[in-house]
Amino acid sequence: MENEDDDPIIQEIDVFLAKSLAEKLYLFQYPIRPLSMTYDRVTHLSAKIKPKQQKVEVDVAINTVSPNYCRSKGEQIALNVDGACGDETSTFSTKLMDKQTFSSIQAASNTSRYAAAIFRKGELHVTPLHGLLQMRPSFSYLDKADTKHREREAANEAGDSSQDEVEDDVKQVTVRFSRPESEQARQRRVQSYEFLQKKQAEESWVHLHYYNIKDSRTELERQYLLCQNTNTTENTELMKSPSEYLEMLMPPCVEEETEKPVSPSNVLSMAQLRTLPLGDQIKILMKNVKVIPFANLMGLMAAGTESIAVMRCIQQVAMLVQGNWVVKSDVVYPKESSSPHSGVSAEVLCRGRDFVMWKFTQDRWVVRKEVATVTKLCQEDVKDFLEHMSVPRVNKGWEFMLPYDEDFVKKHPDVVQRQTMLWKGIQSKLEKVFSLSKEDITPKKSEVSSAQPKVIPGDQLVNIARKKAKEDHAQLEMNLKRKKEQSKLGSSSLTVLADVHIKEEPLSDDEAMDTSTCESINNGLVNGIHMDESSRDSVNGLITKGERELVSQELKEFVTAIFSKQYVLTMRELKRLFNLHLAGLPPGHILFSGIPDKMLQETVLSAGCKQILVPFPPQSTATPEEQKVFALWSCGDAFDKLRQALLELFSKGHRMRRNHIQTQLSQEFGDGLSKQQLDKVLKDCCVCYGGMWYLKGTVQS
């Protein structure tokens, strides 16, 4: 009572509820500082709205004569956005940034607590707000400037390259027909961010007309903010008893039920995860990680979790592969699911994925084509299986993504034995389903490439060599005897061993190039062990004068034939083709006597070819053999002079554009140079890469 006496009532004001604009009234909140600094007065040029989204965009005029306005910046922005030539679609028609676009966002999702009030003649008229929007500057014009900049760059690049480029080869196009969409897939698509953005963009803008604050239409609309019926007996919504009015002012506390944001399926909250039972925790983790070592799995569990309980749960949702745990196929593909690529049922997918897992229990490497052949599934499904548990390696296949966990295998032999029995049962089922042969079941020995040789003990290597020497002793003796007899008759037929190669290093004139290696053994190494002095001579023996002439003749025939087809070759490519040529020759051919690099190069030059001194850049990664470029200088056709002029151009630069080549050749040959002639010599001598032309074999990616 004392407080009431200290705070007496000065005036009572009647409150009226106006409903004329209850469903149409929006409150726009503009930023204060930019308006006070940049705008002399707020003048709306245009406005538009998307009613369903309650999204508004307003163009507000900028006071360009304000001392805070930088005119040079405004002109530069307008130039970047619209370019030099303005048209009807220009953002800034005055070639000056004279307006700013404001875009709205919802400031509050629930506006039932907000209202606009007007006080007139001792009465307070209140109108509920339908929307509360915050207006923020929109910089979409910068996106338009970036788009135009990219278009100009693309036009410049297109202008640099010639219009007469050789047409690209026809590429095969794969046509796929979409399968019927399941209800589950449709719901995921409808809830996706991309779909929602597309739906919002589809709603068309409704253009609005802005009326000034002093306009007569504005005065008329403002009257609707007043309650039309001020009769207190009929205005019953505000006629409440004291208890009802108090309850309206202070409603009982009721917890608002707000929808929690749904996280993506591949995002886990560890705090929420640890509130679940242990089995569900491990199942969710395995469904997301696919493959995990047991030690890492224990690290994800809460402190104090027993390893025995984790071991019991992990065996229900995963299988042991190379000491690591891989999630079971029926967890990844539940019964009611299907393939998003081919539409096959979950049962078929589980069988195919089980086959891949079983293959990894046999070997660290799996080839995708072999899996697709056995399972009869499409390449996309097989790729999904492999990506769950392996990584691709170039020219090798797919390797299991984790190393073999030897520690787990040693610590838990009982679990390993139990998992082995389970895999035997799965193997028997796979044999019946896929009709597997013994070759498919027997694990293949992994072939180790020569680039990464396997190191084996020296004594074992010697034993292998001795064993092989005994097996081939009779054949070696026969070859040696035949060689000696033929050398007496003045002709030679030399012993040839498999896998002929030309050495990469240049040799001296007298030293013949070793074009032989011993046969590969199981570890893929070339040991190069000579059995005796006789066998050493059979490989790199001295060549007589008659043999040298015969070798030169054979070599010249090869060089002439290969350059008549290729026209331009690097030394490296020439040696590769020569190796292929040797591989097709019969044993004992004269070319197996050993061909030095110098002899091969001299033969090329004597066959009517010339070395083109291509000026490679200092930072080039080309090897010395790739920088040796030889070209057929004259082949007797009508294109010799044009081809020679083209080759001389490349002695001045290692790459050129077509329009530059055409200009240089036109200056020499005049208007008689046709497009067909230029295409012919370019095809003979050059390759196009990234819009630039290079001599064959000199492209450095």
Side-chain angles (χ1 to χ4, degrees):
M1 294 297 293
E2 293 178 357
N3 293 338
E4 290 182 1
D5 294 339
D6 295 340
D7 189 14
I9 297 175
I10 298 175
Q11 182 183 3
E12 292 186 357
I13 301 173
D14 293 332
V15 179
F16 298 93
L17 183 63
K19 294 185 176 181
S20 300
L21 299 178
E23 299 296 326
K24 304 175 184 178
L25 190 61
Y26 289 85
L27 176 63
F28 291 176
Q29 296 178 340
Y30 284 89
I32 301 299
R33 180 173 295 175
L35 291 176
S36 62
M37 292 176 60
T38 310
Y39 303 96
D40 187 16
R41 61 183 184 278
V42 178
T43 304
H44 291 70
L45 301 176
S46 63
K48 54 186 178 181
I49 185 173
K50 289 186 176 182
K52 293 182 180 179
Q53 303 176 35
Q54 293 189 2
K55 185 176 181 63
V56 179
E57 281 193 3
V58 177
D59 289 339
V60 180
I62 298 177
N63 183 13
T64 58
V65 298
S66 170
N68 298 322
Y69 182 81
C70 181
R71 191 175 185 84
S72 61
K73 285 288 186 182
E75 292 175 351
Q76 184 62 45
I77 293 174
L79 180 63
N80 293 340
V81 174
D82 298 326
C85 300
D87 52 18
E88 295 179 355
T89 61
S90 298
T91 304
F92 305 111
S93 57
T94 61
K95 296 186 179 180
L96 186 69
M97 184 181 174
D98 57 355
K99 64 180 179 180
Q100 173 67 61
T101 301
F102 287 87
S103 182
S104 69
I105 63 168
Q106 289 191 5
S109 57
N110 183 13
T111 58
S112 60
R113 300 170 52 202
Y114 299 94
I118 183 171
F119 185 75
R120 176 174 291 184
K121 297 179 181 179
E123 298 175 347
L124 186 65
H125 298 262
V126 179
T127 303
L129 289 177
H130 185 63
L132 184 59
L133 305 178
Q134 285 185 355
M135 307 301 295
R136 297 185 177 183
S138 174
F139 301 99
S140 57
Y141 59 88
L142 296 179
D143 297 334
K144 185 178 179 182
D146 290 341
T147 303
K148 290 209 170 187
H149 178 68
R150 286 194 294 268
E151 290 176 355
R152 285 195 295 268
E153 285 187 345
N156 292 335
E157 291 180 0
D160 292 339
S161 60
S162 173
Q163 299 292 333
D164 299 328
E165 290 288 351
V166 180
E167 294 183 359
D168 294 339
D169 295 337
V170 178
K171 295 182 180 179
Q172 183 179 359
V173 178
T174 303
V175 180
R176 295 182 181 177
F177 297 93
S178 60
R179 295 180 177 273
E181 188 178 29
S182 64
E183 182 64 24
Q184 187 178 10
R186 190 191 69 81
Q187 291 179 358
R188 287 198 300 267
R189 180 176 60 82
V190 170
Q191 294 175 0
S192 66
Y193 175 78
E194 183 180 0
F195 181 83
L196 295 176
Q197 288 292 101
K198 184 178 179 182
K199 290 294 290 182
Q200 290 179 2
E202 288 177 354
E203 185 179 359
S204 58
W205 289 100
V206 178
H207 290 273
L208 306 175
H209 184 75
Y210 173 75
Y211 292 95
N212 197 282
I213 191 171
K214 296 181 180 180
D215 194 276
S216 59
R217 177 67 181 270
T218 306
E219 290 291 340
L220 179 62
E221 292 291 333
R222 194 181 291 115
Q223 295 300 319
Y224 289 111
L225 293 175
L226 303 175
C227 182
Q228 304 300 319
N229 188 2
T230 58
N231 189 355
T232 56
T233 58
E234 296 182 5
N235 195 0
T236 58
E237 291 193 29
L238 296 180
M239 301 299 294
K240 303 290 184 182
S241 63
S243 59
E244 291 175 339
Y245 185 66
L246 182 62
E247 186 176 352
M248 290 176 62
L249 290 176
M250 301 181 63
C253 295
V254 178
E255 294 184 0
E256 276 189 43
E257 295 183 0
T258 57
E259 294 184 2
K260 296 181 180 180
V262 181
S263 300
S265 59
N266 61 338
V267 176
L268 293 175
S269 169
M270 294 302 296
Q272 294 179 356
L273 185 67
R274 288 174 179 173
T275 60
L276 301 175
L278 181 61
D280 293 340
Q281 291 184 40
I282 295 176
K283 182 177 181 180
I284 294 173
L285 280 171
M286 291 305 302
K287 194 173 181 180
N288 282 270
V289 300
K290 303 294 190 299
V291 184
I292 193 172
F294 186 75
N296 292 9
L297 180 63
M298 288 299 301
L300 295 174
M301 297 292 102
T305 305
E306 296 182 357
S307 60
I308 298 177
V310 176
M311 185 71 70
R312 189 182 303 113
C313 295
I314 189 65
Q315 295 182 66
Q316 298 176 6
V317 296
M319 296 290 292
L320 192 67
V321 178
Q322 299 189 24
N324 301 281
W325 291 99
V326 181
V327 63
K328 288 184 177 180
S329 300
D330 54 2
V331 177
V332 179
Y333 301 109
K335 289 184 178 181
E336 298 179 355
S337 64
S338 61
S339 168
H341 306 294
S342 58
V344 299
S345 63
E347 183 181 0
V348 178
L349 293 175
C350 289
R351 286 202 301 263
R353 190 174 180 276
D354 286 344
F355 177 75
V356 174
M357 292 171 62
W358 172 76
K359 289 288 286 184
F360 277 118
T361 63
Q362 308 296 307
D363 197 356
R364 282 198 62 82
W365 301 90
V366 168
V367 180
R368 184 170 66 172
K369 289 184 179 179
E370 294 180 2
V371 176
T373 303
V374 174
T375 60
K376 302 297 188 297
L377 292 172
C378 69
Q379 294 289 342
E380 288 79 5
D381 287 333
V382 175
K383 186 178 179 181
D384 285 349
F385 301 158
L386 293 170
E387 286 178 342
H388 289 172
M389 62 195 82
S390 58
V391 290
R393 303 295 186 193
V394 179
N395 297 330
K396 289 186 178 182
W398 291 74
E399 183 185 13
F400 192 72
M401 63 171 55
L402 296 179
Y404 185 81
D405 194 348
E406 190 174 355
D407 293 339
F408 179 84
V409 174
K410 289 181 179 179
K411 291 180 181 178
H412 305 279
D414 53 336
V415 176
V416 175
Q417 184 179 5
R418 191 181 305 115
Q419 289 291 314
T420 303
M421 297 300 295
L422 291 174
W423 276 120
K424 288 183 179 179
I426 293 175
Q427 177 181 338
S428 61
K429 292 180 181 179
L430 295 175
E431 289 177 12
K432 296 178 182 178
V433 173
F434 296 124
S435 303
L436 299 178
S437 61
K438 292 184 179 180
E439 296 179 356
D440 297 327
I441 299 172
T442 306
K444 298 180 181 179
K445 295 182 179 180
S446 59
E447 297 180 358
V448 183
S449 64
S450 59
Q452 297 177 348
K454 180 180 177 182
V455 179
I456 62 175
D459 55 348
Q460 184 179 352
L461 190 65
V462 173
N463 292 335
I464 293 173
R466 286 177 178 174
K467 182 178 179 181
K468 197 160 190 65
K470 290 179 181 179
E471 294 175 356
D472 297 340
H473 180 71
Q475 183 67 29
L476 291 172
E477 289 289 340
M478 189 180 298
N479 291 338
L480 180 60
K481 185 177 180 181
R482 186 173 66 243
K483 176 182 177 298
K484 290 180 178 179
E485 291 176 354
Q486 291 177 351
S487 62
K488 293 179 181 179
L489 297 175
S491 61
S492 175
S493 177
L494 301 178
T495 304
V496 181
L497 297 178
D499 297 336
V500 180
H501 297 281
I502 294 181
K503 287 186 178 179
E504 299 296 331
E505 300 83 1
L507 302 177
S508 64
D509 297 349
D510 297 332
E511 183 182 1
M513 181 173 296
D514 186 3
T515 59
S516 65
T517 62
C518 293
E519 294 182 5
S520 301
I521 56 177
N522 293 337
N523 66 336
L525 289 177
V526 177
N527 297 310
I529 299 177
H530 293 286
M531 306 318 302
D532 52 27
E533 292 299 325
S534 300
S535 63
R536 184 193 303 270
D537 294 338
S538 67
V539 177
N540 286 329
L542 297 177
I543 304 176
T544 63
K545 184 177 180 180
E547 292 173 351
R548 184 178 294 275
E549 292 178 356
L550 187 58
V551 168
S552 299
Q553 183 180 353
E554 290 283 343
L555 193 58
K556 190 172 183 178
E557 290 179 0
F558 161 75
V559 169
T560 304
I562 203 67
F563 271 95
S564 63
K565 298 178 182 178
Q566 301 289 343
Y567 291 100
V568 177
L569 288 171
T570 61
M571 190 64 179
R572 179 179 179 180
E573 180 66 12
L574 179 62
K575 289 169 66 174
R576 187 187 70 83
L577 295 173
F578 183 61
N579 277 330
L580 293 177
H581 177 67
L582 289 180
L585 295 178
H589 195 276
I590 191 65
L591 287 182
F592 287 114
S593 56
I595 308 299
D597 280 3
K598 186 174 181 180
M599 183 178 181
L600 183 61
Q601 182 172 333
E602 290 175 351
T603 305
V604 170
L605 296 176
S606 65
C609 300
K610 284 190 177 183
Q611 183 174 355
I612 310 300
L613 301 178
V614 180
F616 286 88
Q619 67 274 16
S620 173
T621 59
T623 62
E625 289 191 347
E626 290 175 339
Q627 294 187 12
K628 281 187 178 181
V629 183
F630 299 95
L632 182 60
W633 196 250
S634 177
C635 60
D637 60 7
F639 297 95
D640 277 349
K641 292 184 178 180
L642 185 59
R643 196 179 293 113
Q644 293 168 10
L646 176 64
L647 294 172
E648 288 178 353
L649 287 178
F650 280 97
S651 63
K652 302 174 184 178
H654 76 291
R655 61 178 184 178
M656 298 180 190
R657 291 193 180 275
R658 182 191 172 103
N659 53 6
H660 176 71
I661 296 174
Q662 187 171 4
T663 302
Q664 295 294 324
L665 295 181
S666 298
Q667 291 177 0
E668 184 172 349
F669 293 95
D671 298 335
L673 179 64
S674 64
K675 178 179 180 298
Q676 290 75 14
Q677 291 174 330
L678 182 60
D679 290 345
K680 172 69 169 63
V681 294
L682 285 175
K683 184 178 180 182
D684 291 344
C685 305
C686 306
V687 292
C688 183
Y689 181 80
M692 304 295 290
W693 287 88
Y694 301 78
L695 285 181
K696 290 181 178 178
T698 63
V699 178
Q700 298 298 315
S701 58

